[in-house]
């Protein structure tokens, strides 16, 4: 009769023998690149580099041409608002400085009446500076996001997406209750 220790030793040897029989993952990747030509380890880095050099170029490198105008539009919007808010900020800042030193500014008419108070000039400067800084922040965020999107898209382009791996809704009949079919999902993977 076998003892518990000998059974445990047999199981440990059996499982460790199977662990040593696995393939090396680097050899699998080399085999993929040689056989199919699909695996390109530097493609995500190139896409990210191209997007960092010129926004939208990484999307063009990934052959997703329709994404480039979206990137350009997304980056043009905060750039436009940054420039407009900066121009208005400088305008109100100049008027505030002139008013504080006693000189007439653009908000004082020819009779010497001020259409805008000095407190309004201060609040307008604060609001325009905040809007300008927010536009800059959104521009930087969108710039970084388009770099990340190009890199992730280059990673995802290397995955095999043929029909052997499917995810489809199916109707499942309940053998007990026949009145209505149930909706479920099946995952089919064939080798």
């Amino acid at each position: 009769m076998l003892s518990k220790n000998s059974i445990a030793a047999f199981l440990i040897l059996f499982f460790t023998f199977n662990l040593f029989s696995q393939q090396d993952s680097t050899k699998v990747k080399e085999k993929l690149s040689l056989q199919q030509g699909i695996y390109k380890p530097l493609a995500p880095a190139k896409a990210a580099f191209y997007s960092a050099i010129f926004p939208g170029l990484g999307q063009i490198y990934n052959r997703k041409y329709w994404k480039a105008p979206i990137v350009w539009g997304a980056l043009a919007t905060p750039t436009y608002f940054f420039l407009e808010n900066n121009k208005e900020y400088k305008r109100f800042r100049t008027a505030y400085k002139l008013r504080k030193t006693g000189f007439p500014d653009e908000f004082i008419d020819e009779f010497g009446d001020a259409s805008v108070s000095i407190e309004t000039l201060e609040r307008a400067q604060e609001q325009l500076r905040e809007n300008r800084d927010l536009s800059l922040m959104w521009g930087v965020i969108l710039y970084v996001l388009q770099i990340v999107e190009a890199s992730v898209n280059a990673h995802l382009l290397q995955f095999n997406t043929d029909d052997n791996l499917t995810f489809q809704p199916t109707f499942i009949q309940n053998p007990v209750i026949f009145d209505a079919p149930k909706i479920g999902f099946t995952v089919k993977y064939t080798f």
Side-chain angles (χ1 to χ4, degrees):
M1 194 105 210
L2 295 172
S3 69
K4 288 182 182 180
N5 290 338
S6 62
I7 293 173
F10 174 74
L11 289 175
I12 290 173
L13 286 174
F14 178 73
F15 286 119
T16 56
F17 178 71
N18 285 338
L19 288 177
F20 290 117
S21 66
Q22 294 179 357
Q23 292 181 351
D24 186 17
S25 63
T26 56
K27 291 181 182 177
V28 172
K29 287 182 182 180
E30 289 173 6
K31 200 185 278 187
L32 272 176
S33 65
L34 293 176
Q35 289 176 351
Q36 299 172 354
I38 294 174
Y39 182 72
K40 299 177 189 172
L42 296 180
K46 273 187 179 179
F49 177 73
Y50 290 153
S51 283
I53 296 295
F54 185 76
L57 198 58
Q59 286 75 12
I60 293 171
Y61 172 74
N62 290 335
R63 293 192 179 119
K64 303 289 184 180
Y65 303 110
W66 60 274
K67 289 183 181 180
I70 294 172
V71 168
W72 297 330
L75 289 174
T77 303
T79 303
Y80 169 77
F81 283 113
F82 175 82
L83 294 174
E84 284 298 312
N85 286 320
N86 193 37
K87 182 177 74 171
E88 290 296 313
Y89 170 75
K90 287 180 180 178
R91 180 175 153 228
F92 280 93
R93 181 75 181 152
T94 303
Y96 176 77
K97 286 180 179 180
L98 288 173
R99 180 92 48 98
K100 283 298 251 185
T101 56
F103 293 109
D105 57 72
E106 67 177 282
F107 299 107
I108 296 179
D109 60 5
E110 63 270 359
F111 302 114
D113 296 330
S115 61
V116 177
S117 69
I118 197 156
E119 292 84 17
T120 305
L121 289 174
E122 288 177 11
R123 282 194 306 266
Q125 285 180 71
E126 290 172 8
Q127 185 65 45
L128 289 167
R129 184 176 55 237
E130 182 180 329
N131 290 345
R132 179 193 65 185
D133 295 345
L134 281 174
S135 299
L136 179 65
M137 180 191 71
W138 279 111
V140 169
I141 288 172
L142 289 172
Y143 178 76
V144 170
L145 280 178
Q146 65 94 20
I147 294 172
V148 170
E149 191 278 330
S151 177
V152 168
N153 192 10
H155 272 291
L156 293 177
L157 286 175
Q158 298 182 34
F159 285 104
N160 187 5
T161 57
D162 59 358
D163 289 336
N164 288 335
L165 178 64
T166 59
F167 189 67
Q168 299 174 356
T170 59
F171 291 105
I172 302 169
Q173 292 290 340
N174 191 346
V176 178
I177 304 171
F178 293 106
D179 46 343
K182 306 293 187 233
I183 298 175
F185 288 97
T186 62
V187 177
K188 181 180 113 179
Y189 184 74
T190 56
F191 291 94

